[in-house]
Amino acid sequence: MGTNRDLVRKKIDELWEEEKLFLKTLGSFPSTLGNEKEVQEFIYHYLQDMGLETESVAVDPERLKDYENFGEPDWSYEDRPVVVGEWKNTGQKKGKSLILQSHMDVVSAGPEDQWDTNPYAPVIKDGKMYGRGLLDMKGGFAAIVFAVKALRNLGVELGADLQIQSVIEEECTGNGALALLDHGYTADGAMIPEPTNLRLLHSQVGVMWLQVKVKGAGAHVERAESAQNAIMKAHKLMDALMDYREHINSQPKHRDFDHHPHPLNVNVGKVEGGDWASSVPTECTFDARVGFYPGTDPKTVQKEVKQWLLDAAKEDDWLKEVAPEVTFFGFSAPGYTISNEEAIMQEMSNSHNAVTGTQAENLAFTATTDLRAYGEFNIPATCYGPSGANMHAPNEYIELESLKTVTNVIADFILRWCEEK
C-alpha cells in the first residue's frame, strides 16, 4: 500500500471525537420501520458534504418482486428512501470496486421503562455508548464513514470506485439493499459492518416470517363453556411451532453449523387477540419467525411450516373444523455462504491481522443480514463489525474501543481492495 498505515491510524485518532458525535447523532433518530426519512436525509447531506456523489433512491416493490430475496411488504414506501454516496475513481481503474453498506432501520425500543437511559439520547459510560440501534448497526455505519473520511482527509486517491450505501428494512424484508442493487449500484465486492465482534461472517441461515389467524366463537364469560376462546386455540398452535423448532434442530445439521447446539430458531414475536376481559375472544393473530439452513428454498419451508400447523390444528375438535389461516409476509430470505478462499475474505482477514495482530475468526450466524442480496447479484460479500450487547433488547450498547478498531480495519481494507492510483 502506498499510504502509510500509521498515518491512517493517526488520522482516525484525530477524528475520533467527531466519530463518536456522529454516532450519537445517528442514535438520536428513532428510525423504526416507517420512520427512516429523517435519518436518511441527514446521511444524504452528510455524504454530500464529504464530497461524495450522492443520490436518494425510492424503493419500488413492483421493481423488486421477482428477485429471490424480495420480501413481501405490508406497508408503504412513501418518504422512505435509500441513500448512496460514491467516491469515484477519476482515472484508469487499478483495484476492485467496493460497496460499504449499513442499515438505518432499528427495532422498537419498547418497553422504554426497562432502559436505564433514554434509548434515543445516547450516553457514554465506561467505554460503552448506550442507545437503540447503536450496535445494530449505526456504529458500523460510523466506522464506514470515518474510515472513508480519514482516507479522503489524507488526500488518498483510490484506484477503483467506492460506494457508501445506507439502506432500510434489513430488519424485516431486505428490500432496501435490493433497491440500490436493482438501481445499478453494484461493485466487485461488498462489506457490511454488522456487529460480529470482530469476526468474519462466512455463513448465515435463511429467515421467513409468517402470520397465523385463529377464529373462535365468542360469548360472555358466563357462557364460556359454550364458546371457543381464540387466544387459547392460538396457544395450541404456538406450542406446535415450538415442537417444530425441536424437530428441525434434531435433523442433520448444515456443515457450517455443526458446532452450534441449536442453530435454527423459531420465535413467536407478536400476539394480538381479544378486546375485553369479560368477553371470550373471537379472533387471535400471531406473527412468528422461522430459521432454516443455507441451500434451502424458502418456499419449501413455507409449505412445510404451513402443513405442520394444519396437522396440529386437526388434533383439536374446533380447529379441525375452523382451520387457521396461515400467510407469509416480510422476510422470505434464503441463507448465504461464502468460501474463505474468496479474495474479499482473504483481504479482510489480512486487514484484521494488520490492525489487531491476531487472526480473524469466522462466524456462522444464526440470523440473517443483507449479504444474501449481494449473493443474488454475484457480488462476493461478508460482514465484519464491532462488539457490544443487548441487540433488540433494553440497554443496547456498543463497545467504543471495538468501533475504533473496526474503523481502522475498514480503512486498511479499502486500501487493499480498491488500491491507490
Side-chain angles (χ1 to χ4, degrees), residues 92-395:
Q92 184 176 357
K93 181 176 177 179
K94 183 179 179 182
K96 295 186 283 286
S97 57
L98 178 64
I99 293 167
L100 297 171
Q101 189 252 57
S102 178
H103 66 88
M104 282 300 110
D105 54 312
V106 302
V107 300
S108 168
E112 294 191 19
D113 61 1
Q114 293 187 16
W115 285 74
D116 295 334
T117 59
N118 184 333
Y120 297 114
V123 297
I124 296 174
K125 296 188 296 184
D126 302 323
K128 303 168 184 176
M129 189 184 295
Y130 289 81
R132 172 55 81 229
L134 298 186
L135 182 62
D136 184 19
M137 62 167 294
K138 292 176 177 178
F141 188 70
I144 288 172
V145 168
F146 279 81
V148 170
K149 197 165 192 175
L151 296 178
R152 289 177 67 86
N153 284 5
L154 287 171
V156 169
E157 294 186 70
L158 296 181
D161 294 345
L162 179 146
Q163 300 172 31
I164 295 177
Q165 297 186 355
S166 176
V167 304
I168 63 172
E169 289 198 9
E170 189 274 346
E171 297 286 5
C172 57
T173 66
N175 292 343
L178 270 182
L180 282 177
L181 290 164
D182 173 76
H183 210 70
Y185 286 107
T186 58
D188 296 322
M191 209 289 291
I192 306 176
E194 289 276 7
T196 64
N197 193 20
L198 305 183
R199 294 172 292 177
L200 278 171
L201 196 155
H202 74 102
S203 187
Q204 67 185 34
V205 300
V207 170
M208 67 167 211
W209 282 4
L210 68 149
Q211 183 172 91
V212 182
K213 184 177 292 186
V214 179
K215 292 183 179 180
H220 187 280
V221 289
E222 178 192 15
R223 296 183 293 107
E225 72 282 353
S226 64
Q228 300 292 338
N229 188 311
I231 293 176
M232 302 309 294
K233 297 301 182 183
H235 194 273
K236 292 176 181 289
L237 299 180
M238 294 180 209
D239 285 343
L241 272 182
M242 297 304 100
D243 292 339
Y244 177 74
R245 180 184 64 182
E246 298 314 307
H247 165 72
I248 56 179
N249 281 285
S250 69
Q251 304 304 304
K253 295 178 182 178
H254 186 282
R255 63 184 180 276
D256 291 343
F257 296 87
D258 271 343
H259 66 287
H260 202 291
H262 201 279
L264 299 179
N265 295 312
V266 177
N267 181 65
V268 176
K270 181 180 177 182
V271 181
E272 293 182 342
D275 59 5
W276 195 253
S278 294
S279 296
V280 177
T282 58
E283 188 171 280
C284 181
T285 300
F286 66 90
D287 298 350
R289 173 264 200 211
V290 174
F292 51 92
Y293 288 124
T296 306
D297 187 340
K299 290 183 174 60
T300 300
V301 182
Q302 288 179 354
K303 291 178 182 177
E304 181 178 83
V305 171
K306 184 173 183 177
Q307 191 59 53
W308 186 279
L309 288 168
L310 292 177
D311 288 345
K314 291 175 184 176
E315 298 178 6
D316 181 90
D317 290 340
W318 173 259
L319 291 176
K320 71 181 178 182
E321 298 297 331
V322 184
E325 179 184 330
V326 182
T327 56
F328 299 91
F329 73 106
F331 278 133
S332 179
Y336 173 84
T337 61
I338 184 170
S339 168
N340 289 323
E341 302 306 312
E342 287 275 3
I344 197 163
M345 297 291 283
Q346 295 287 320
E347 294 291 23
M348 276 298 303
S349 181
N350 290 338
S351 291
H352 172 88
N353 178 259
V355 171
T356 69
T358 63
Q359 295 299 313
E361 297 179 18
N362 279 349
L363 171 65
F365 194 41
T366 58
T368 189
T369 73
D370 280 333
L371 286 180
R372 64 188 188 279
Y374 296 98
E376 186 166 358
F377 279 75
N378 297 312
I379 298 172
T382 187
C383 291
Y384 173 93
S387 57
N390 301 330
M391 290 188 299
H392 293 215
N395 299 318

Side-chain angles (χ1 to χ4, degrees), residues 3-17 19 146 149-151 153-154 404 407-408 411:
T3 300
N4 185 290
R5 188 178 292 117
D6 289 337
L7 287 177
V8 176
R9 189 186 297 264
K10 181 179 178 182
K11 179 58 66 176
I12 289 171
D13 283 343
E14 290 174 1
L15 293 170
W16 181 232
E17 293 303 317
E19 182 172 352
F146 279 81
K149 197 165 192 175
L151 296 178
N153 284 5
L154 287 171
K404 183 183 282 190
T407 307
N408 276 285

